[in-house]
Amino acid sequence: MKKIMLAVAAVLSLGLLVQATEIIETERVPVEAKMGEEWTLDFQARTPQRIVMVDREGNRQAYWYMVYVVTNETGEARDFIPNAVMFTDTGKFIRDGIYPSVVEAVKRQYRLNELKSSVEMLGRPAEEGQERLPNLKEGLEQAQQGIFVFPAVDERINSFKIFVTGLSGEFIVQEVPSVKEGEDPQMVVLRKTMELRYAVPGDETRNDTVTVQPQGKRWMWR
């Protein structure tokens, strides 16, 4: 577990460098190159939807959200640390954020009382001096419902992808050439990631009702 947390820290510290790294499909990586713990959670997502929230002053803000179910059938409890990034065809990277009003609206709409944001999914932090226990117990009956929320920063998109990490204990280390002459290449950590692809038919997404069409999914390293 400690190795995986260090890997996460390395990815976050490199930021845009990791975003620019080549995406590697899982089958292109030999078994001996894989590191970490060999487990993968089952992840089933509903098609993302767009929602428009109106505040007390009448200001409108649009968001994209994706409801999912994550199940642990790996044989033991696992620490599920949900992390999602939306990448639009206009070149925007948008990270999953905490928007309580959106979560509550989706809960009411679909009657999903147990729906959890990414922070809620983590559970309570460990008390001082105690080790944090895994937050996702093993078994079908322990499946959890979660939601990712992304602010709609670009109203005109034709397609987008959502990258989800935290579903596996595996990672690889990849060398990235330096962008400046004379600097040594950097080593970055790429995690086993679920990529989900979607199309948005039409010229714009400014209407409150938007049609989203799933275009497939795959495992890859990112």
Side-chain angles (χ1 to χ4, degrees):
M1 180 64 194
K2 184 177 180 181
K3 289 183 179 179
I4 295 177
M5 295 305 295
L6 290 173
V8 173
V11 171
L12 294 177
S13 67
L14 287 168
L16 293 176
L17 179 60
V18 175
Q19 291 180 0
T21 301
E22 177 190 6
I23 290 173
I24 303 175
E25 296 182 0
T26 51
E27 59 267 23
R28 290 173 51 193
V29 176
V31 174
E32 60 270 19
K34 298 177 183 179
M35 304 174 68
E37 300 176 359
E38 190 177 352
W39 56 263
T40 300
L41 305 175
D42 180 72
F43 181 82
Q44 301 295 327
R46 294 189 182 187
T47 301
Q49 302 293 325
R50 187 174 180 273
I51 187 172
V52 177
M53 305 298 295
V54 182
D55 63 21
R56 295 180 179 179
E57 286 72 38
N59 300 312
R60 295 163 60 87
Q61 173 62 54
Y63 299 87
W64 290 96
Y65 67 87
M66 185 173 73
V67 174
Y68 65 87
V69 176
V70 61
T71 308
N72 174 11
E73 294 186 276
T74 67
E76 60 181 275
R78 299 294 180 185
D79 208 14
F80 172 48
I81 304 176
N83 190 311
V85 177
M86 181 178 182
F87 177 57
T88 69
D89 63 331
T90 57
K92 300 290 179 59
F93 280 93
I94 312 161
R95 293 191 178 278
D96 164 51
I98 307 303
Y99 302 95
S101 61
V102 176
V103 176
E104 291 303 317
V106 175
K107 278 185 178 181
R108 292 193 300 269
Q109 181 176 350
Y110 295 104
R111 299 181 181 179
L112 298 174
N113 296 328
E114 301 302 319
L115 192 65
K116 298 179 180 180
S117 68
S118 295
V119 168
E120 293 170 329
M121 189 67 74
L122 292 174
R124 295 181 179 179
E127 296 182 6
E128 186 175 355
Q130 295 185 351
E131 184 178 356
R132 183 176 182 277
L133 297 176
N135 61 340
L136 188 58
K137 296 180 180 180
E138 202 276 341
L140 288 172
E141 69 282 0
Q142 300 296 336
Q144 298 291 313
Q145 295 178 328
I147 182 173
F148 294 125
V149 182
F150 313 92
V153 298
D154 195 335
E155 295 289 354
R156 298 179 181 274
I157 61 175
N158 296 309
S159 64
F160 62 88
K161 300 176 181 179
I162 294 179
F163 299 100
V164 182
T165 55
L167 302 173
S168 175
E170 294 181 284
F171 62 91
I172 62 174
V173 177
Q174 180 80 359
E175 182 178 289
V176 178
S178 173
V179 295
K180 294 183 179 180
E181 186 176 355
E183 290 187 353
D184 294 331
Q186 300 228 31
M187 304 301 292
V188 299
V189 173
L190 304 182
R191 302 185 66 194
K192 188 175 179 180
T193 301
M194 172 69 76
E195 178 197 69
L196 302 106
R197 303 183 299 278
Y198 302 95
V200 185
D203 296 330
E204 60 183 53
T205 56
R206 292 185 177 181
N207 299 324
D208 289 355
T209 302
V210 178
T211 300
V212 179
Q213 298 177 346
Q215 299 294 299
K217 63 181 180 180
R218 63 173 176 170
W219 287 104
M220 32 78 78
W221 302 94
R222 180 178 182 277

